[in-house]
Amino acid sequence: MTQHVQGAQVVARIALLLRLVGRNPAGTPLAEIVRDSGLTRPTVHRLLSSLAAEGLLDHDAVRRTWHYGPEVFVMGTVAAARYPIEELARPSLVRLAEETGESAFLSIRRGAETVCLLREEGSFPIRSFVLHEGVRFPLGVASAGLAILAYLPDTEVDALLGDTVSADTDADAFAARWGPQHSPASIRANLERTRETGYAVNPGLILEGSWGMGAAIFDRSGRPGWALSLTGIEPRFKPERQKVLGQLLLDEASRITQTLQRPPIN
């Protein structure tokens, strides 16, 4: 029993480190991984080195950053065939980017977080770089997470908002990381607005001047599992344009949802 617990703990730590490394495509420094993992520096370095020896990670000795290794690429390529959402979403991202000029994204829910999977650049020359492939946010912090969280059952929302606070041990620590604008009360108010319109709006809550909007995509059981979003600078998201952008997001999200909910062909 003790060995089982220890083994599970090691697996959990490895999974956590892999997620932390994958947050930044440009590479993640050791100090940041140590800080966000809550593990000691020797433990983190030992586990990262072991993962690198297996090809799951790479270490850039010049920049002193850690990156996903070739084995992760191979695993992702094999797994992609089981999750066709990217293939279904790409045309919608292209249409959104072309029609709006903004950057369009697909994000997936993973537990209490969203992970950005795909990005399609728009034609407008000034862009927001808060969102990129691989970046993770707690549910309720970015527009994609708000769009998903708004359509989960109330009991699940209550549990997730509680976890969101406790993940950093207390509300003060969470506010220090994401700002007081992401208090549970503020998130709940944004969820209400999202339910009224159908789409979420992030009015520069992560980075001042960088706005986002999102709409949820639902799986066959009717649960929100993904979201489409648009990001850009504040002047591009005036109230009158929000309605236009919101409807475009809802239309494309509905298109993907309908495809996902079709009965499988035998």
Side-chain angles (χ1 to χ4, degrees):
M1 182 66 178
T2 301
Q3 289 180 344
H4 173 73
V5 173
Q6 290 176 342
Q9 184 183 60
V10 171
V11 171
R13 287 178 172 181
I14 288 174
L16 172 61
L17 295 182
L18 285 171
R19 288 195 295 269
L20 292 176
V21 170
R23 292 189 306 186
N24 188 351
T28 308
L30 178 62
E32 183 177 323
I33 300 172
V34 171
R35 180 196 69 197
D36 293 343
S37 69
L39 302 174
T40 65
R41 187 182 184 93
T43 296
V44 171
H45 189 269
R46 175 173 53 82
L47 291 174
L48 293 178
S49 298
S50 296
L51 290 169
E54 296 296 330
L56 292 166
L57 294 180
D58 276 336
H59 181 240
D60 187 327
V62 176
R63 297 183 178 179
R64 298 183 179 180
T65 51
W66 291 87
H67 308 252
Y68 279 163
E71 284 298 327
V72 171
F73 170 76
V74 174
M75 291 177 183
T77 301
V78 173
R82 292 197 61 197
Y83 303 94
I85 184 66
E86 294 189 13
E87 181 180 341
L88 296 177
R90 180 65 77 181
S92 290
L93 294 183
V94 171
R95 282 190 293 269
L96 286 169
E98 289 180 348
E99 292 185 43
T100 68
E102 314 302 338
S103 298
F105 303 86
L106 171 71
S107 296
I108 185 173
R109 178 190 174 187
R110 294 293 295 139
E113 298 178 313
T114 57
V115 186
C116 180
L117 297 179
L118 294 175
R119 175 184 183 126
E120 186 69 31
E121 297 289 3
S123 59
F124 191 71
I126 304 177
R127 296 167 184 159
S128 167
F129 293 97
V130 171
L131 197 57
H132 55 77
E133 292 94 331
V135 71
R136 293 171 178 260
F137 290 112
L139 285 174
V141 167
S143 60
L146 283 166
I148 292 172
L149 191 62
Y151 291 98
L152 292 175
D154 289 342
T155 53
E156 197 166 348
V157 171
D158 292 342
L160 284 167
L161 288 182
D163 288 345
T164 294
V165 173
S166 63
D168 286 308
T169 68
D170 56 41
D172 291 338
F174 188 81
R177 175 68 178 88
W178 299 106
Q181 66 274 23
H182 289 110
S183 68
S186 297
I187 292 174
R188 289 183 187 279
N190 212 335
L191 292 179
E192 287 302 314
R193 289 190 290 269
T194 300
R195 291 170 185 140
E196 291 173 3
T197 61
Y199 52 82
V201 178
N202 168 24
L205 298 179
I206 299 174
L207 180 66
E208 185 177 358
S210 178
W211 283 48
M213 296 180 61
I217 299 169
F218 300 85
D219 63 20
R220 192 166 292 153
S221 66
R223 287 179 59 83
W226 308 267
L228 297 175
S229 58
L230 293 167
T231 68
I233 59 174
E234 181 177 357
R236 302 277 290 175
F237 287 78
K238 296 298 184 183
E240 60 274 12
R241 191 168 187 248
Q242 286 181 26
K243 295 180 180 180
V244 176
L245 297 178
Q247 191 59 55
L248 289 172
L249 283 165
L250 289 172
D251 290 346
E252 294 297 342
S254 176
R255 190 194 304 266
I256 298 172
T257 294
Q258 290 176 29
T259 302
L260 288 170
Q261 294 182 346
R262 288 174 188 164
I265 299 175
N266 296 325

